[in-house]
Every structure is written in structure tokens, then in C-alpha cells.
Amino acid sequence: MTLSLNDLPLRDDLRGLTPYGAPQAPLPIALNVNENTHPIPDAVASDILDDIALAIRDVNRYPDREFTTLRESFAEYLGHGLTPEQIWAGNGSNEVLQHILQAFGGPGRTAFGFAPTYSMYPLIAQGTGARWIPGTRQPDYTITPEEAAEQVRTADPDVIILCTPNNPTGTPLGLDVVEAVYEAARGIVIVDEAYQEFAPHDAPSALTLLEGRPRLAVSRTMSKAFAFAGARVGYLAADPTFIDALRLVRLPYHLSTLTQAAAVAALRNSDVMLGMVEEIVEQRDRITATLEALGYTPHESWSNFVLFGGIADPRATWQQLFDRGVLVRDVGIPGHLRVSAGTEAETTAFLDALASIGSAS
Ligand SMILES: *Cc1c(COP(=O)(O)O)cnc(C)c1O
């Protein structure tokens, strides 16, 4: 007899839930989880390996619990006059978000975001015992400061997560919305800038709003622009007191010696690591233009992926692309699919496969 989850004394609030599950399939063209599909350059890989080789000689000891050098590196990379005391990091920004929800969410509390947004937010909220409240957006996925503030006042959440550019839609969010939400909120406001490096260079970051806003945090990741998804490194900037709150919930020594060494070496090479960003943005814009020509309706994107509508049967189209060796993402929005911008060759393979399927609905 196979056991089911109901046979175990699982927490009541976890019964009936399904885990995060982007399909993992070994297809030649994988454009489904917004990775940077360019491998890191050989010279940088060797440099990182040299540092890992040194670091592994110390793995008999616990790592630096305060990941001091890494925090210095992130402060320098982010600029905006940030100091290491304002930096936090974890094994992916998902862990950083989990720390925030453990510290400021939890049982009896609520977390809020404007749907459709990153599918991990409700899961991290639920996993830490908080209730997720989905807000709404305009049909084009934008949101005005007034509407945003009104929804936040009504929901009165303990934690608010604003994703910009938003996953899975690619939509940018003005800093005026962040300011309005912060004013309207009593709780913590997180701005998730996982895709900020793909936005136009003159687009201001919410990092510029941190001064004088102790409930605000801006999270970033090395998983996307930095081509470091497999290394698992995410980070945030906030007031030093906010950072102290996260120390209450993290597991001691949560960032391994090897992770810290790899991330510091990668940040030392950030110019080269980010060298493919312009190329990816070019492919993203090419996807948008070609989808339009094919009769689909791509949404404006400031990230490394494009959400597009005008698909009669997304599941069928997803399967037809799969059968042609191309993996994209069905994010559950009716009539839509999401595709990551790959290398020029991968992008061509996707566009050719889609064109061979037939035209939009
Ligand atoms: C990919 C992504 C992240 C990054 O997650 P990691 O745990 O750092 O890999 C964070 N937020 C959003 C919205 C994302 O799409």
C-alpha cells in the first residue's frame, strides 16, 4: 500500500497544497524558468574555482556566520551609498523572502501581492504559516499608486511583496507605486527586483527609497542576470535594524563557505558576469517583435522573459513546443504562455517552432 500525505500527521494548513513544480525536462531548448542560458565565461569560472579551492581547505570549520566579505561585495555592487550592515543574503532570494516572512509574517498574519505575480510568494507565505491575500491589477497588469494604496489599506497586510519587473508578466512598477504602498501600509514592504538588471538603464531602483523607510526592503538575486542560478545566492538591502530581525530566524551558518567564496569571486567579476545582459535584452525584444508579427499579443517586458496572449489552447501549444524540443512555461493565465529569452540560437529555435505550429487564435 502506498502512503499518502493524509496518512501522516501533517500540519492542517498544509493539507491539500501542491509543491512548486515547474516541470524539469531534459529538452534541448529550456526557456521555462527565466534562467540566463549563457554559461559563465571560462576565465571567470577558473577564477571562481581558484577561490573555491582555497575555501575548501577551511570546511572543517563552520563558515563566517555573518558572511562579512560577501556583504561588503554586495554593498559595493549595489552602490547607492549602501553599507554592509544594510545587506542580507541567503541561498537564493527565495530563502531571503522566507526569512522575512518568518520574522514578520507567520501564523495569524497575512502577506499580500498584486496577482498575477511570482508563484512562490503564496507558497512561502503558507509554508511559514501566514495567509496569502492576492490583490488585483489592470487588464494590462499595470497598477496605479491610488489603486495600489487603496487595496493595501483594505487588506491591511503584515507583509507586502511588490515584484518589479513583475514575474510572470514582465510589467514594470513605478517608484510612485512603491512610495504610495509604503505610506498606506503598516507592515513590511518588500520590492523584489530579481530582474532589475534587464530593465532600461535609466530605470530607478527602489534602493533609492530605502533612506528613512525602515519597513522597506529591496531584494535581488544572482540567479538571473548573473547566470548563477545553480549556486543559489540571493540578497537584500534594508535598514540595519531590519537585518537584525532576520538574524532571529535564519539557521546559524546558513551560507556555506563554498557558496560565500563562489559568490564573492563572481561579484569581483560582475562586469563579465553581466556581459550577456544586453544580448538577452536584444533577444527579448526580438521575441516581442516576432510574436506580434505572428499575431500573438506579447505584454511589455522589462525582464528576460515575455508573457504572450492570443493562444487558443495554451496547454496544446505548450505540448506542441515540447514535442519540438522547446520548453516554455504555462503560468496558468488563460490564453497565455511565458518564454525566457535565450541565446540567439535558442530564441530562433523557439520562434521557428512556434511559427511551425500555426498562427495565433
Ligand atoms: C527567479 C526569481 C527569484 C529568484 O529566486 P532565487 O531563489 O534567487 O533563485 C526571485 N523572485 C522572482 C520574482 C523570480 O522570478
Side-chain angles (χ1 to χ4, degrees), residues 33-34 91-95 97 118 121 163 165 167 192 194-195 220-224 229 232-234 305:
V33 286
N34 301 340
N91 298 282
S93 59
N94 275 275
E95 186 181 59
L97 294 175
Y118 186 37
Y121 299 153
C163 188
N167 184 5
D192 182 347
Y195 300 97
R220 297 273 187 103
T221 180
M222 294 185 76
S223 293
K224 308 292 160 55
R232 310 304 301 125
V233 188
F305 57 84

Side-chain angles (χ1 to χ4, degrees), residues 68-93:
T68 316
T69 311
L70 181 57
R71 284 162 57 215
E72 286 164 5
S73 302
F74 278 132
E76 193 184 322
Y77 169 70
L78 287 177
H80 293 91
L82 291 166
T83 62
E85 294 69 42
Q86 292 175 271
I87 304 293
W88 187 247
N91 298 282
S93 59

Side-chain angles (χ1 to χ4, degrees), residues 139-316:
D140 66 356
Y141 305 124
T142 60
I143 181 154
T144 66
E146 296 74 25
E147 290 167 330
E150 181 56 35
Q151 289 188 46
V152 164
R153 267 191 293 271
T154 306
D156 192 30
D158 297 286
V159 178
I160 297 150
I161 314 181
L162 305 174
C163 188
T164 176
N166 185 49
N167 184 5
T169 62
T171 322
L173 191 77
L175 291 192
D176 52 348
V177 177
V178 179
E179 289 180 271
V181 164
Y182 189 89
E183 288 311 313
R186 135 190 90 72
I188 295 298
V189 179
I190 307 163
V191 182
D192 182 347
E193 294 188 345
Y195 300 97
Q196 183 69 22
E197 286 92 350
F198 299 103
H201 295 307
D202 55 358
S205 159
L207 292 169
T208 58
L209 300 179
L210 283 175
E211 182 81 43
R213 291 186 177 84
R215 290 178 289 112
L216 182 66
V218 181
S219 75
R220 297 273 187 103
T221 180
M222 294 185 76
S223 293
K224 308 292 160 55
F226 267 94
F228 225 45
R232 310 304 301 125
V233 188
Y235 55 107
L236 67 69
D239 188 273
T241 312
F242 188 108
I243 307 294
D244 280 340
L246 305 181
R247 287 193 174 88
L248 299 173
V249 295
R250 62 94 176 271
L251 295 174
Y253 315 110
H254 68 288
L255 277 175
S256 87
T257 303
L258 303 182
T259 302
Q260 293 184 40
V264 168
L267 285 161
R268 193 169 61 227
N269 290 280
S270 56
D271 287 353
V272 185
M273 293 289 282
L274 294 170
M276 283 299 147
V277 164
E278 297 307 318
E279 158 78 12
I280 294 165
V281 165
E282 249 176 62
Q283 297 308 317
R284 173 198 74 199
D285 292 343
R286 181 178 156 228
I287 291 174
T288 302
T290 311
L291 287 173
E292 264 168 16
L294 289 172
Y296 295 96
T297 49
H299 294 273
E300 180 187 19
S301 173
W302 279 18
S303 57
N304 66 340
F305 57 84
V306 178
L307 179 77
F308 60 106
I311 308 167
D313 185 350
R315 287 181 70 167

Side-chain angles (χ1 to χ4, degrees), residues 10-17 106-108 125-131:
L10 188 66
R11 269 164 45 188
D12 291 336
D13 61 323
L14 295 182
R15 289 192 187 277
L17 297 186
Q126 280 157 350
T128 54
R131 184 166 58 86

